[in-house]
Amino acid sequence: MSNELLEALTILEQEKNIPKETLLDAIENSLITACKNHFGKSDNIKVQIDPKSCEYHVYQEKTVVEQVEDAICEISLVNAKMIDSKYEVGDVVNMEVKSKEFGRIATQNAKNVILQKIREEERKVLYDEYYSKEKDVVTGIVQRYAGKNISINLGRADAILTENEQVKGEVFQPTERIKLYVLEVKSTNRGPKILVSRTHPELVKRLFESEVTEVKDGIVEIKSIAREAGSRTKIAVWSNDPDVDPVGACVGMNGARVNAIVSELRGEKIDIINWNENPAMLIENALSPAKVISVIADAEEKSAKVVVPDYQLSLAIGKEGQNARLAARLTGFKIDIKSETQAREAGDFMDYENDYEDEDYYDDEEYIDEEYDDGEYAQEAYEEETYEDGAYAGESLEEEEPAASYAEDGESDE
């Protein structure tokens, strides 16, 4: 019997990842429960189990008395002497209990105790397994639509993709494999409740960590990220190694790395820019692909004034203000974008000796990076553009596709 029990516990430990010690504790508790149902009390019951062989014994501790008043807890001196002549009044005798003699009800209750413990431990193991994946990316298989929510199978447990965490326009078919960001794992009586997302900005960050070795190793850092799920994401990257180009590492050869992420995100465009400690330069980069004439950033007020060429205003703002909005979220600055004409009319734009006349102006112009006493930064050049939910000046025209963004077809958008 002990060999069969040992084999059964070993199988349970392997299949359900439940420690054998936990199962032995469950058996011990079940035997005590069975004794309580059989004898009416279990205060004097002691169970001994050998963890190596799984051989177990159940004892009933009885006190030696002259005259027995409680047969469950006491034994007469005469009967004790029959067991061992050394016993005297007041000694404790261990009487072995034969569990085979238990009735059907006691046996059934003991079985239920073991099964309940196994279910509890299985839920705990599942919870611990998926709790360790919280704030990480997992691969799931689409099961079915439950109303507007989607049930996703993650292997040993199911997750819920709610309507709020779904990208607008994405439609999944049953058995389809998708990447998901684990938002939260809760412990319930029915097992772990796992909430996942397809819209969270961290999903993009984790995908870069899994796809780009330099990001995973910490050589390249993703300093900031701003996302409008299903449409466009901007990320700012920084390299801890001067010999490693952070943007090039994230893009990969012929765009292989970034396009793999774009494909997983169903064609969502991704802009990758260089992070810079200088707010003015960071804002200029963030507004990419629009070209910038000047940036004046107030680090204390977290606001910036940006001047762009007249023909770049619509590109800097983006369709429905998306480019400026994402740039603002990425940098944490409220960005006011004006065309050169608007800036001159408002008196916010100083005349430079060499006003631009054509594209060569931007190619030849050197950066001017000055820090003023009042904490403002000035930046002149052409690179990139961005801005946040802050106000912007000028009318929003049709957006031109940015040169730094990557689409699903693997080619840069011109």
Side-chain angles (χ1 to χ4, degrees):
M1 179 64 185
S2 60
N3 291 335
E4 294 176 358
L5 180 59
L6 178 61
E7 184 179 351
L9 295 183
T10 303
I11 293 174
L12 279 173
E13 184 177 32
Q14 294 173 349
E15 290 184 352
K16 298 186 179 294
N17 200 26
I18 301 175
K20 187 184 298 181
E21 293 75 14
T22 301
L23 296 171
L24 291 175
D25 288 341
I27 293 173
E28 181 178 343
N29 292 331
S30 70
L31 290 170
I32 293 175
T33 301
C35 289
K36 184 174 182 179
N37 283 282
H38 185 73
F39 297 112
K41 61 173 65 176
S42 59
D43 297 340
N44 62 332
I45 298 297
K46 183 172 66 175
V47 179
Q48 293 180 350
I49 302 179
D50 186 346
K52 294 183 179 180
S53 65
C54 287
E55 184 178 350
Y56 68 91
H57 298 278
V58 182
Y59 297 100
Q60 199 173 27
E61 296 180 338
K62 294 188 177 184
T63 305
V64 179
V65 295
E66 291 287 352
Q67 186 174 357
V68 176
E69 295 181 357
D70 185 351
I72 303 299
C73 300
E74 298 174 344
I75 184 173
S76 66
L77 180 59
V78 175
N79 290 336
K81 291 286 188 181
M82 294 176 63
I83 298 172
D84 194 326
S85 58
K86 69 177 182 180
Y87 285 122
E88 300 293 339
V89 174
D91 291 343
V92 176
V93 180
N94 289 327
M95 303 287 294
E96 186 166 3
V97 177
K98 300 298 182 182
S99 56
K100 293 181 179 180
E101 299 176 0
F102 291 164
R104 181 181 60 84
I105 295 177
T107 304
Q108 185 64 37
N109 289 338
K111 174 185 175 183
N112 292 338
V113 169
I114 296 176
L115 293 176
Q116 179 65 22
K117 184 63 175 178
I118 291 174
R119 284 192 291 265
E120 289 177 0
E121 286 301 314
E122 191 173 8
R123 286 195 295 266
K124 183 177 181 297
V125 168
L126 275 177
Y127 172 78
D128 292 341
E129 177 183 344
Y130 286 100
Y131 182 77
S132 65
K133 297 179 181 179
E134 197 174 71
K135 312 303 180 187
D136 204 352
V137 170
V138 295
T139 301
I141 300 175
V142 177
Q143 296 285 87
R144 64 187 182 280
Y145 279 82
K148 294 184 178 180
N149 298 334
I150 304 176
S151 176
I152 311 289
N153 181 261
L154 301 181
R156 299 182 61 194
D158 288 342
I160 301 172
L161 182 61
T162 62
E163 181 184 10
N164 293 335
E165 300 299 333
Q166 297 174 30
V167 176
K168 186 177 180 181
E170 278 191 347
V171 179
F172 303 110
Q173 301 299 325
T175 71
E176 188 173 357
R177 301 177 71 88
I178 58 174
K179 298 282 188 181
L180 302 149
Y181 179 74
V182 181
L183 287 174
E184 186 180 17
V185 180
K186 298 179 180 178
S187 180
T188 68
N189 292 332
R190 296 185 178 182
K193 182 180 180 181
I194 307 170
L195 301 178
V196 293
S197 173
R198 285 277 295 177
T199 62
H200 203 284
E202 286 291 315
L203 173 62
V204 180
K205 183 177 180 180
R206 297 298 183 187
L207 289 175
F208 270 99
E209 289 177 355
S210 62
E211 192 70 31
V212 182
T213 306
E214 290 82 356
V215 175
K216 184 178 181 180
D217 294 341
I219 299 173
V220 174
E221 294 182 36
I222 297 177
K223 289 285 192 177
S224 181
I225 185 167
R227 184 187 185 200
E228 290 191 358
S231 180
R232 186 179 295 276
T233 294
K234 283 181 180 285
I235 66 170
V237 293
W238 169 266
S239 175
N240 294 312
D241 187 340
D243 296 330
V244 176
D245 174 22
V247 174
C250 292
V251 172
M253 185 175 294
N254 297 324
R257 290 175 170 178
V258 71
N259 284 329
I261 298 172
V262 168
S263 177
E264 178 60 44
L265 297 177
R266 307 296 176 93
E268 181 176 317
K269 293 182 175 64
I270 299 177
D271 295 347
I272 306 171
I273 69 164
N274 281 302
W275 171 268
N276 198 300
E277 295 294 340
N278 186 319
M281 294 187 68
L282 176 61
I283 291 169
E284 181 191 344
N285 293 344
L287 284 171
S288 175
K291 299 173 182 178
V292 177
I293 295 177
S294 69
V295 179
I296 299 178
D298 189 331
E300 294 182 359
E301 297 293 332
K302 286 291 183 179
S303 63
K305 294 181 179 180
V306 179
V307 178
V308 299
D310 291 352
Y311 70 95
Q312 291 276 296
L313 180 61
S314 62
L315 182 60
I317 293 172
K319 187 176 181 180
E320 299 179 352
Q322 183 187 68
N323 193 55
R325 187 166 55 249
L326 287 174
R329 292 178 187 170
L330 189 74
T331 61
F333 278 68
K334 180 179 179 180
I335 303 175
D336 181 13
I337 301 178
K338 292 182 179 180
S339 67
E340 183 186 8
T341 301
Q342 291 170 336
R344 291 184 187 279
E345 291 175 353
D348 295 335
F349 183 63
M350 66 182 80
D351 289 324
Y352 293 100
E353 281 187 29
N354 299 318
D355 288 342
Y356 75 93
E357 293 180 358
D358 51 35
E359 292 294 330
D360 294 337
Y361 166 82
Y362 300 106
D363 296 333
D364 299 336
E365 185 65 32
E366 294 182 355
Y367 283 112
I368 298 174
D369 185 2
E370 300 177 355
E371 181 175 356
Y372 297 99
D373 294 335
D374 58 2
E376 294 187 345
Y377 296 83
Q379 174 62 31
E380 180 183 1
Y382 77 100
E383 288 276 81
E384 329 200 31
E385 16 71 49
T386 312
Y387 108 158
E388 159 220 42
D389 294 10
Y392 59 86
E395 297 179 359
S396 175
L397 306 178
E398 289 298 319
E399 179 185 19
E400 300 178 29
E401 289 300 326
S405 67
Y406 295 86
E408 189 172 11
D409 57 9
E411 297 181 354
S412 299
D413 298 330
E414 290 298 326

